[in-house]
Amino acid sequence: MKNISKILIAFISILAVSCNADDVDNRPILESVSAPEMTLPTTGKEYVLTEEAANNEADVFTWTAAEYSNDVVVTYSLMMDVKDGDFTNAQTLATTNDVTQAAVTVKSLNQAAIELGAVPGTAKLFDVKLKCSVSGGVPMETEETITISVTTYSGLVAYAFTDWYLVGDATVAGWDPNKGNQPLFRSGTNPKLYKYTGYFKVGAFKVISSLGSWIPMYGMGASGTLAYRGTDADADPATFNIATAGYYTFTMNTQTLTYTLVSYDASAATNYSVIGFIGSSRTGTEAGWGDDTDMIQSTFDPHIWTLTISLFDGKGKFRANNAWDVNWGGDTAFSGYTANGASGGDIPVAKSKYKVYFNDLDGSYLMLPNQQ
């Protein structure tokens, strides 16, 4: 009886495979018939953008529908590149599904132009074209582009904060004031309060605010106080000293002019192989929560991660190993750390290009906007 059952199961399996093979052979072949064509605006359109109108529509871009050999849902991407560019590094102005038009805001057009090298206040020419794709099909692009002129405004995000960086042979940069210096993480609720937990070598350090310059500077004062150097004529303050290599937490308050430097036990800390930034701010839509942009792990301290990325208005957070098991967020834009602006929430993000720093030891984050 068992043998008969085995033979019957084998026969059914062969029949199923044969049916699947027939389905594949008989599946309709999807072919592109005609690419979409831009209809509005037309070549020569000029846009003079202003910050006051940032949230207004710059224009509504329209195009003809792409045609395929079968009825399919077509995804359209409206792309912009410099005049005569090859669209390798094009900016995406909008994405739609089966919709042949897209409203582009002044802010989005301005940021895309700046990303492509526009100088605020000066007109620059850009090419615009469409790319469309369907599931199971080869992406199709318009053969011709339209050329538009865009005069941008600065597009800078308001950022009224002072940042401080470590310098010294105990730190990643050594005594070079402009060599990838590690910034301190600023509190999200008190802009005068800074903290950094991380690895220090045997040696010394100070903190500077302007990369490439030795002023302004803070060094060690007497009895847990900060010593300030504001001009070249001021005395050089004493260093903060590290007698034993290891992990420490350094905090400073530029209002009370106090600091602390204490040992930190990192022996039980997890060493992650991947940490990424995720959220709607990555794409300007909720689709941005689907995957991560991986960050770069420091070779000096494996708990420090960096990323330079152009982001949209939206929200974001950090997570490990491309999964939600371990993730970090915050309540405050630009910066925060545990109990001072960081939490499990989503970090609010304004559209700009950022240099992002993240510390997986305590969830500290610092997002510096207006990067070139």
Side-chain angles (χ1 to χ4, degrees):
M1 187 66 178
K2 291 182 179 179
N3 290 335
I4 293 174
S5 299
K6 290 180 180 177
I7 293 172
L8 182 59
I9 292 171
F11 174 76
I12 293 172
S13 299
I14 293 171
L15 182 60
V17 171
S18 299
C19 290
N20 289 338
D22 290 341
D23 289 342
V24 172
D25 291 338
N26 296 327
R27 185 180 301 164
I29 298 175
L30 182 62
E31 295 180 343
S32 58
V33 176
S34 64
E37 295 182 3
M38 294 288 303
T39 54
L40 288 174
T42 57
T43 287
K45 183 72 177 284
E46 297 181 357
Y47 300 89
V48 178
L49 309 179
T50 63
E51 190 165 7
E52 293 73 21
N55 294 319
N56 297 345
E57 286 184 1
D59 211 338
V60 176
F61 289 73
T62 64
W63 55 89
T64 61
E67 293 185 23
Y68 287 86
S69 56
N70 302 293
D71 289 334
V72 289
V73 175
V74 182
T75 298
Y76 298 97
S77 295
L78 185 63
M79 316 293 291
M80 186 171 87
D81 199 1
V82 295
K83 172 65 176 171
D84 298 324
D86 62 4
F87 284 82
T88 300
N89 298 309
Q91 294 290 305
T92 301
L93 296 177
T95 301
T96 69
N97 289 321
D98 261 2
V99 177
T100 57
Q101 67 176 31
V104 177
T105 65
V106 167
K107 188 174 185 179
S108 294
L109 184 58
N110 189 79
Q111 186 64 25
I114 288 176
E115 293 288 340
L116 293 169
V119 176
T122 303
K124 186 176 178 66
L125 296 179
F126 298 93
D127 287 337
V128 179
K129 73 174 183 178
L130 285 157
K131 181 173 69 174
C132 59
S133 60
V134 297
S135 178
V138 177
M140 184 167 47
E141 297 185 10
T142 52
E143 295 181 1
E144 297 184 0
T145 63
I146 64 166
T147 300
I148 61 175
S149 171
V150 181
T151 301
T152 60
Y153 57 91
S154 70
L156 298 180
V157 171
Y159 187 77
F161 301 103
T162 301
D163 293 299
W164 293 91
Y165 299 84
L166 297 171
V167 64
D169 57 3
T171 73
V172 63
W175 285 109
D176 191 325
N178 193 15
K179 189 181 179 182
N181 302 66
Q182 173 65 47
L184 303 181
F185 293 93
R186 187 182 60 254
S187 164
T189 56
N190 181 353
K192 303 295 185 180
L193 185 61
Y194 301 82
K195 182 179 77 166
Y196 174 70
T197 296
Y199 180 76
F200 290 84
K201 297 192 298 184
V202 172
F205 70 93
K206 300 178 182 181
V207 292
I208 56 174
S209 181
S210 300
L211 292 175
S213 175
W214 292 103
I215 53 174
M217 170 196 292
Y218 280 114
M220 185 177 68
S223 303
T225 62
L226 295 171
Y228 182 70
R229 183 180 185 232
T231 70
D232 288 327
D234 293 337
D236 197 12
T239 59
F240 304 101
N241 300 311
I242 302 294
T244 303
Y247 283 82
Y248 294 83
T249 295
F250 173 74
T251 65
M252 72 176 199
N253 189 316
T254 58
Q255 182 173 24
T256 62
L257 296 180
T258 57
Y259 80 90
T260 62
L261 179 61
V262 297
S263 178
Y264 178 87
D265 184 6
S267 60
T270 301
N271 288 315
Y272 298 101
S273 58
V274 177
I275 285 182
F277 185 80
I278 192 170
S280 59
S281 58
R282 289 176 55 254
T283 62
T285 70
E286 289 303 313
W289 291 103
D291 57 11
D292 309 68
T293 299
D294 290 344
M295 304 187 74
I296 298 173
Q297 187 176 34
S298 168
T299 57
F300 182 81
D301 181 344
H303 299 289
I304 300 298
W305 305 78
T306 59
L307 175 67
T308 300
I309 185 173
S310 294
L311 298 173
F312 298 84
D313 291 339
K315 295 183 177 182
K317 62 198 320 176
F318 305 91
R319 68 176 187 172
N321 305 321
N322 300 306
W324 287 110
D325 304 57
V326 180
N327 66 86
W328 304 263
D331 296 324
T332 51
F334 304 121
S335 65
Y337 55 76
T338 305
N340 282 282
S343 73
D346 300 333
I347 303 166
V349 178
K351 186 179 179 70
S352 185
K353 187 174 184 178
Y354 290 84
K355 180 65 178 290
V356 182
Y357 296 86
F358 177 70
N359 186 340
D360 68 49
L361 288 175
D362 59 7
S364 298
Y365 61 92
L366 178 65
M367 303 177 67
L368 306 178
N370 306 323
Q371 301 296 308
Q372 299 299 315

